[in-house]
């Protein structure tokens, strides 16, 4: 039995995650949710004083915005679209007949105006662009959403529906790269406080295909993405639990985000993989939160 | 070969300036070549010259200038001597 199956089995056995029969689609126990809630409060302790504007979107986004984002250029393999039955009585009859005989009843489903959110910040950019120019001090936003990525796996750290907490910064190049550096420092400090071993490394997104290989190399060459890696299922191959992304002016140009003086805004975001962080805590400190080290419990606000 | 590369750059590069105005050693990224457009140029060149860029050439440097692209294609087609 490999380590991945074993961690997943331990999570199922302890009731922390609940099997649904689909890889990467799990229920969560109250205790698991509580760890995430407490870690989010720790994020608030660090990020709260910055005064970010909080927004929460549901885990689906406007399909037109998704199309503008260019996500399908880079990650067609990960996207999930929402389709629905849009027929009349007769169509309904053939649908039921098709299901009755075990046929592919989904092929006549029609695309709706909703696409599953691939990253918490995606609905933000068109929202901010609609407001007009950014204020003089730039923009800082706090987001959290369930996100979907179609990558079935028995690695509990690679779920298809998971939560991402993000801070997004918009402004000048200096402003947003400083924001990113601040969070890289904070990320290291936070993880040390909860007793997790971390490494920071330059990274790339999982761009699709051969063209994607070049996009990935370019991203690395320019140090656009860093990840904070923590052992979850393997010490040799630690899992990215936070990412720190500098988009240059790509999103600013794409969405029409402009500074007060009319220049195209640069943007950066920092993302926390909330399930991954919770899993790293369980993998490191054990399935029973009551036996976690006292200093870790204290940082997360558990009463002893 | 350089003209063919220039034609591909004009078609796929999405540059805000005409390709004719760029010197062979001009920095294409400074001229406005985006990351995604550089990928399209790469795919266009592969098709036009019937070559495949290996992993070690799939980077910004290979597409930094018309001269750099020419060198890469020459290396892939083995036509360095014949080209100049």
């Amino acid at each position: 039995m490999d380590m991945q199956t074993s961690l997943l089995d331990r999570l199922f056995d302890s009731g922390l995650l609940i099997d649904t029969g689909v890889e990467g689609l799990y229920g969560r126990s109250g205790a698991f949710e509580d760890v995430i809630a407490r870690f989010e409060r720790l994020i608030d302790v660090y990020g709260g004083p910055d005064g970010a504007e909080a927004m929460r979107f549901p885990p689906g986004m406007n399909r037109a915005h998704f199309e503008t984002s260019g996500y399908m250029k880079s990650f067609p393999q990960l996207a999930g679209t929402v389709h629905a039955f849009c027929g009349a009585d007769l169509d309904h009859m053939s649908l039921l007949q098709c299901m009755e005989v075990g046929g592919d009843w989904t092929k006549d489903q029609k695309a709706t105006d909703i696409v599953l959110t691939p990253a918490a910040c995606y609905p933000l950019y068109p929202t901010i662009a609609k407001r007009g120019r950014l204020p003089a001090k730039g923009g800082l936003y706090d987001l959290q959403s369930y996100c979907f990525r179609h990558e079935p796996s028995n690695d509990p750290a690679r779920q298809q529906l998971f939560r991402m907490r993000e801070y997004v910064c918009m402004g000048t190049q200096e402003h947003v790269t400083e924001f990113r550096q601040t969070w890289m420092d904070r990320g290291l400090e936070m993880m040390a406080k909860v007793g997790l071993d971390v490494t920071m490394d330059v990274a790339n997104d999982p761009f699709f295909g051969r063209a994607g290989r070049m996009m990935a190399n370019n991203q690395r060459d320019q140090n656009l993405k860093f990840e904070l890696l923590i052992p979850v299922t393997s010490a040799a191959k630690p899992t990215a639990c936070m990412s720190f992304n500098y988009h240059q002016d790509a999103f600013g140009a794409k969405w029409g985000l402009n500074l007060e003086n009319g220049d195209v805004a640069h943007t950066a975001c920092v993302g926390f993989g909330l399930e991954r962080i919770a899993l790293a805590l369980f993998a490191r400190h054990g399935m029973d939160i009551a036996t976690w080290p006292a200093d870790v419990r204290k940082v997360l606000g558990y009463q002893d | 070969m350089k003209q063919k590369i220039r034609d591909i750059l004009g078609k796929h590069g999405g540059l805000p300036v005409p390709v004719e105005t760029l010197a062979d050693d001009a920095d294409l990224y400074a001229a406005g070549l985006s990351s995604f457009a550089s990928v399209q140029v790469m795919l266009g060149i592969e098709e036009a010259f019937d070559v495949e860029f290996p992993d070690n050439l799939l980077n910004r440097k290979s597409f930094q200038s018309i001269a750099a692209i020419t060198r890469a294609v020459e290396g892939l087609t083995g036509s360095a001597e014949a080209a100049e």
Side-chain angles (χ1 to χ4, degrees):
Chain A
M1 181 186 288
D2 66 9
M3 281 304 289
Q4 290 186 357
T5 313
S6 129
L7 178 65
L8 187 58
D9 281 345
R10 280 157 61 211
L11 290 158
F12 285 159
D13 290 346
S14 57
L16 289 163
L17 290 187
I18 302 156
D19 190 5
T20 68
V22 175
E23 285 187 338
L25 180 72
Y26 308 121
R28 287 101 165 108
S29 73
F32 189 95
E33 288 298 287
D34 189 38
V35 168
I36 288 189
R38 285 167 189 273
F39 193 85
E40 282 211 83
R41 285 205 283 279
L42 183 63
I43 297 173
D44 294 335
V45 169
Y46 279 82
D50 299 340
E53 178 184 346
M55 278 184 237
R56 294 292 181 264
F57 292 93
M61 67 179 287
N62 183 330
R63 176 154 64 94
H65 293 160
F66 173 84
E67 288 162 4
T68 304
S69 78
Y71 193 81
M72 292 305 276
K73 283 184 185 174
S74 301
F75 314 106
Q77 79 281 23
L78 299 179
T81 49
V82 177
H83 285 61
F85 172 75
C86 299
D89 286 334
L90 276 177
D91 306 306
H92 184 211
M93 286 307 119
S94 27
L95 169 79
L96 294 183
Q97 275 164 13
C98 183
M99 290 181 87
E100 183 74 31
V101 299
D104 179 12
W105 62 273
T106 61
K107 64 183 191 306
D108 292 324
Q109 298 281 98
K110 298 274 185 291
T112 66
D113 289 334
I114 297 174
V115 172
L116 296 175
T117 304
C121 62
Y122 269 60
L124 174 73
Y125 303 101
T127 303
I128 300 305
K130 215 163 79 180
R131 291 182 182 173
R133 290 184 179 184
L134 289 163
K137 61 178 174 44
L140 183 64
Y141 312 94
D142 166 352
L143 299 127
Q144 196 254 50
S145 172
Y146 259 102
C147 300
F148 176 82
R149 291 186 188 173
H150 182 241
E151 40 183 359
S153 162
N154 66 353
D155 176 354
R158 188 166 295 287
Q159 299 188 12
Q160 298 199 67
L161 274 157
F162 58 94
R163 270 159 298 182
M164 190 186 293
R165 173 78 180 269
E166 278 193 78
Y167 285 106
V168 179
C169 183
M170 303 178 182
T172 62
Q173 174 173 358
E174 298 70 34
H175 179 70
V176 307
T177 51
E178 190 188 311
F179 155 87
R180 185 174 73 153
Q181 185 58 53
T182 299
W183 273 106
M184 286 169 76
D185 298 340
R186 287 175 177 173
L188 291 170
E189 192 181 310
M190 291 170 75
M191 298 309 172
K193 278 195 172 172
V194 292
L196 296 175
D197 301 323
V198 301
T199 46
M200 187 74 79
D201 203 0
V202 66
N204 60 264
D205 287 309
F207 295 107
F208 183 76
R210 288 196 62 247
R213 208 99 46 93
M214 180 154 154
M215 301 280 283
N217 289 339
N218 290 350
Q219 196 179 24
R220 279 179 174 269
D221 288 348
Q222 297 178 88
N223 286 337
L224 296 180
K225 184 182 191 76
F226 286 90
E227 286 176 343
L228 193 149
L229 306 162
I230 308 178
V232 178
T233 48
S234 150
K237 277 190 177 171
T239 299
C241 292
M242 284 185 73
S243 75
F244 311 85
N245 308 284
Y246 172 40
H247 315 127
Q248 298 170 310
D249 61 357
F251 286 9
K254 183 175 289 165
W255 291 108
L257 298 163
N258 295 99
L259 305 177
E260 203 185 29
N261 66 7
D263 287 355
V264 177
H266 285 235
T267 60
C269 68
V270 48
F272 294 83
L274 296 174
E275 277 77 7
R276 287 182 169 186
I277 292 168
L279 291 169
L281 288 164
F282 285 111
R284 177 76 181 81
H285 301 310
M287 300 295 129
D288 183 1
I289 299 163
T291 64
W292 285 8
D295 52 340
V296 173
R297 287 176 54 83
K298 194 173 168 209
V299 169
L300 291 173
Y302 287 101
Q303 303 294 323
D304 277 310
Chain B
M1 179 184 288
K2 275 195 183 129
Q3 192 49 50
K4 208 164 159 189
I5 290 171
R6 283 174 174 273
D7 291 345
I8 293 165
L9 204 53
K11 193 171 162 200
H12 298 291
L15 293 166
V17 293
V19 178
E20 304 83 68
T21 63
L22 294 169
D24 283 349
D25 61 352
D27 185 333
L28 295 175
Y29 298 107
L33 184 69
S34 74
S35 201
F36 191 72
S38 71
V39 172
Q40 289 178 307
V41 169
M42 183 269 283
L43 293 173
I45 285 174
E46 287 195 339
E47 197 186 326
F49 291 97
D50 194 23
V51 293
E52 189 165 311
F53 282 85
D55 261 13
N56 63 339
L57 288 179
L58 288 178
N59 55 46
R60 279 172 75 78
K61 242 189 246 156
S62 305
F63 298 84
Q64 187 91 38
S65 64
I66 291 163
I69 299 173
T70 308
R71 274 196 300 279
V73 176
E74 282 172 356
L76 291 173
T77 57
S79 63
E81 293 85 358
E84 298 297 329

